[in-house]
């Protein structure tokens, strides 16, 4: 069975986005990014995305570590592409990049 990975580093229209830095109990540094996530179907939902800040300045996104509301919007965004959220991790890097997410579809 072949799986194709759709990494959707799509432009997310954001208004009022802001970040909060928190230290997790296990020592990880988390960036809690609150954004208005536009799922391309005319819906926009304000969610808080949990990113783990890595030593090189990039940020790691894990679907399983997201709040339920963020997971629901991620599922909806992927469903619009006939896909499901990827169970792996995504990385965010680059100046001015606010968000990215990964979807997996089966051919």
């Amino acid at each position: 069975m072949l799986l194709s990975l759709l990494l959707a580093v799509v432009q997310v229209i954001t208004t009022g986005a802001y970040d909060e830095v928190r230290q997790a109990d296990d020592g990880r540094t988390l960036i809690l990014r609150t954004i208005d996530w536009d799922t391309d179907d005319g819906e926009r939902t304000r969610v808080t995305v949990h990113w783990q800040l890595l030593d090189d300045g990039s940020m790691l996104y894990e679907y399983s570590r997201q709040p339920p509301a963020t997971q629901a919007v991620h599922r909806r965004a992927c469903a619009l592409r006939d896909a499901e959220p990827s169970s792996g991790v995504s990385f965010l890097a680059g100046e001015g990049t606010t968000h990215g997410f990964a979807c997996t579809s089966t051919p």
Side-chain angles (χ1 to χ4, degrees), residues 1-96:
M1 175 194 320
L2 290 175
L3 293 177
S4 64
L5 177 66
L6 256 169
L7 178 58
V9 179
V10 293
Q11 179 181 3
V12 176
I13 299 169
T14 60
T15 56
Y18 61 91
D19 291 344
E20 180 182 337
V21 179
R22 286 204 184 153
Q23 196 72 28
D25 292 339
D26 61 4
R28 296 177 301 130
T29 300
L30 300 179
I31 306 295
L32 307 183
R33 177 162 290 165
T34 300
I35 61 171
D36 292 331
W37 189 333
D38 182 359
T39 57
D40 296 332
D41 61 355
E43 293 293 318
R44 184 178 284 173
T45 305
R46 180 157 286 195
V47 295
T48 300
V49 180
H50 293 199
W51 291 94
Q52 178 182 343
L53 182 63
L54 302 178
D55 291 338
D56 65 0
S58 64
M59 296 190 292
L60 177 133
Y61 174 96
E62 291 180 86
Y63 174 80
S64 63
R65 291 185 182 254
Q66 300 305 310
T70 303
Q71 288 183 359
V73 174
H74 187 159
R75 280 193 308 274
R76 190 168 75 223
C78 289
L80 290 169
R81 294 166 176 77
D82 294 323
E84 297 176 349
S86 295
S87 59
V89 298
S90 301
F91 292 92
L92 184 66
E95 192 173 323

